[in-house]
Amino acid sequence: MTLATAPPPHTLSSQPRATYENWRPPIIGVSVLAPVGTTGLVLPCIFGAAPLLPTGTVEEGQSPEEAAQAVLTGMPDGLPIRCRVVVDHVQMRRRNVITHLVATESLTVQEANCLTYRDARAKVRVLSTAQAIPALPDRSRGRLLLALQALAIGATADAGDSQIQRLDAVRRSTPAPV
């Protein structure tokens, strides 16, 4: 390029730039909190590795509750979804990652043993919360603790990087006992 055909310097810096976090569309996922009785949790383990929260993706036009049905399968009528307890937003390098944590009704040990995880390499196990919490990776542990707290108080937690930003009361489908 010769000097005569080079663009003026002011046009190079005046080109619009996309904001850093909006370069790519967000990734939207779902995790399932499946309690067993009063002290157990359903967690898949891949080849004896540390347990993880059962997770999957939310496809376009699908609700997180519908996506949760594909994460853990094996129950004849599907998972008994209770409510969404945490929505966690994490800003990654070039996109926002949004994870909805959906809780199920309490399952029996027999129901939990019928479940299969979407990844066929994983074995679904029932662990006590005392075993599960320290075994999970940091981010999953934070989400699980938020979810258990929100479930206990009947709220939905809106979180950023596993820190509560806002709590909303969950509407009950039936009136609360008097």
Side-chain angles (χ1 to χ4, degrees):
M1 182 182 302
T2 65
L3 187 57
T5 60
H10 68 280
T11 60
L12 293 176
S13 63
S14 65
Q15 293 180 3
R17 293 184 182 196
T19 57
Y20 191 68
E21 65 271 4
N22 292 330
W23 284 2
R24 295 173 137 179
I27 296 173
I28 302 174
V30 64
S31 292
V32 178
L33 171 61
V36 178
T38 57
T39 61
L41 295 173
V42 172
L43 298 174
C45 298
I46 298 177
F47 295 124
L52 51 105
L53 281 175
T55 59
T57 58
V58 179
E59 302 297 331
E60 191 171 332
Q62 193 178 41
S63 74
E65 292 79 6
E66 292 168 340
Q69 295 293 338
V71 175
L72 291 170
T73 58
M75 292 184 69
D77 296 329
L79 286 175
I81 300 296
R82 182 172 176 184
C83 61
R84 191 177 326 175
V85 289
V86 174
V87 180
D88 192 15
H89 304 267
V90 178
Q91 182 62 51
M92 301 305 275
R93 233 185 124 192
R94 295 184 181 180
R95 65 175 62 183
N96 197 9
V97 178
I98 303 166
T99 305
H100 299 269
L101 207 141
V102 175
T104 68
E105 296 292 339
S106 183
L107 305 174
T108 65
V109 174
Q110 293 80 15
E111 290 171 328
N113 288 335
C114 293
L115 294 175
T116 57
Y117 185 51
R118 66 177 181 83
D119 186 341
R121 300 174 298 161
K123 179 175 171 60
V124 174
R125 297 189 171 195
V126 176
L127 298 176
S128 71
T129 53
Q131 293 172 317
I133 291 170
L136 288 171
D138 290 340
R139 189 172 305 262
S140 294
R141 184 181 314 122
R143 284 185 186 138
L144 177 62
L145 290 172
L146 283 176
L148 290 171
Q149 291 171 4
L151 194 57
I153 63 172
T156 299
D158 191 7
D161 290 325
S162 298
Q163 301 291 321
I164 295 177
Q165 307 295 320
R166 188 180 81 232
L167 281 174
D168 296 323
V170 174
R171 285 188 224 136
R172 295 180 185 262
S173 56
T174 58
V178 183

